[in-house]
Amino acid sequence: GQQVMQIPQYQHVQEGEDFTTYCNSSTTLSNIQWYKQRPGGHPVFLIQLVKSGEVKKQKRLTFQFGEAKKNSSLHITATQTTDVGTYFCTVPDSGGGADGLTFGKGTHLIIQP
Amino acid sequence: EPEVTQTPSHQVTQMGQEVILRCVPISNHLYFYWYRQILGQKVEFLVSFYNNEISEKSEIFDDQFSVERPDGSNFTLKIRSTKLEDSAMYFCASSGRQVFYGYTFGSGTRLTVV
């Protein structure tokens, strides 16, 4: 199945600092999705990236898909306490409609006030 | 906003017992999934279900596991003879035809095998 590496595993930031998490695959991806999981919660869909070099923004969150479609990043500007959680990148297993998702190990964002 | 509903929220069972985890996916979704997350670890895919049959399953989904859509609304995961290592959070998810909108996960069932 697909493999995706996600770094860092943990990120401690002061409130107001920026945060970035990275995902890398050895194979070209058809798409990548990002999810957020609050402590004790369930994964919540953030966005899907499909096109090479795509950049999408959601308020303070910026998502990028690499030109080769093998890597992606999520950047949060000026973190707030509500950003606390684990951010997962996911890739589809085969590209079909009923695909399972392979999750990265996630980046745990810890914010110090 | 439509939700995926899972019951129970927490299930404690003795090793060797059968458990059934229940899910009600979003009503107009076509694809249904089960995932699990062992405490502190990443989310792992178990199985996907479409058009009343299994579409894809992972290595984790062995003969001890089965899924069913017994009626038009419920989607169940059965573990026939639970092991200690089955202790995890089990998430149900569903998606519509347009995966662009992502998968909607339920709040999960925490299964504890003792």
Side-chain angles (χ1 to χ4, degrees):
Chain A
Q2 287 278 12
Q3 297 286 334
V4 60
M5 298 294 295
Q6 190 173 356
I7 57 169
Q9 189 175 357
Y10 293 91
Q11 183 79 56
H12 292 77
V13 301
Q14 295 282 342
E15 188 175 6
E17 291 182 339
D18 293 355
F19 159 79
T20 306
T21 173
Y22 302 90
C23 272
N24 292 286
S25 169
S26 58
T27 59
T28 303
L29 302 168
S30 59
N31 67 78
I32 193 163
Q33 294 185 0
W34 286 90
Y35 288 79
K36 176 184 178 182
Q37 185 177 28
R38 293 183 186 274
H42 57 279
V44 174
F45 174 72
L46 294 177
I47 209 156
Q48 175 169 286
L49 304 172
V50 177
K51 298 177 184 174
S52 167
E54 191 169 16
V55 177
K56 287 189 175 180
K57 293 193 175 187
Q58 291 178 352
K59 297 183 181 178
R60 294 179 295 104
L61 277 61
T62 301
F63 304 84
Q64 289 190 313
F65 203 9
E67 294 289 342
K69 299 180 70 172
K70 290 185 177 182
N71 58 76
S72 180
S73 65
L74 158 58
H75 179 84
I76 303 178
T77 305
T79 54
Q80 300 174 359
T81 54
T82 52
D83 297 323
V84 163
T86 304
Y87 292 84
F88 293 98
C89 61
T90 72
V91 298
D93 282 348
S94 61
D99 266 349
L101 296 175
T102 295
F103 277 68
K105 288 189 175 181
T107 297
H108 301 262
L109 173 58
I110 298 141
I111 297 178
Q112 294 154 344
Chain B
E1 179 141 351
E3 290 184 342
V4 173
T5 305
Q6 288 187 245
T7 54
S9 57
H10 192 184
Q11 173 103 41
V12 181
T13 188
Q14 291 209 328
M15 194 168 52
Q17 294 296 306
E18 174 183 288
V19 293
I20 297 176
L21 309 183
R22 302 180 191 281
C23 169
V24 179
I26 293 174
S27 60
N28 62 350
H29 279 184
L30 302 174
Y31 305 99
F32 315 114
Y33 313 85
W34 284 99
Y35 289 80
R36 79 171 186 192
Q37 186 176 32
I38 295 170
L39 188 62
Q41 298 187 24
K42 70 174 184 176
V43 180
E44 299 175 294
F45 168 71
L46 294 178
V47 66
S48 61
F49 194 86
Y50 170 69
N51 203 25
N52 285 319
E53 61 182 20
I54 289 175
S55 178
E56 183 188 3
K57 59 184 180 179
S58 72
E59 291 176 355
I60 303 168
F61 194 88
D62 61 22
D63 292 343
Q64 293 297 313
F65 291 89
S66 62
V67 290
E68 210 175 35
R69 187 156 164 81
D71 53 44
S73 59
N74 292 283
F75 180 50
T76 62
L77 174 70
K78 182 193 291 186
I79 309 175
R80 286 191 186 82
S81 178
T82 49
K83 308 183 189 80
L84 294 176
E85 54 265 36
D86 293 327
S87 295
M89 181 71 90
Y90 287 80
F91 292 109
C92 175
S94 67
S95 65
R97 193 178 297 277
Q98 297 297 330
V99 186
F100 184 84
Y101 296 110
Y103 297 67
T104 303
F105 284 79
S107 299
T109 293
R110 178 161 298 286
L111 177 65
T112 304
V113 182
V114 297

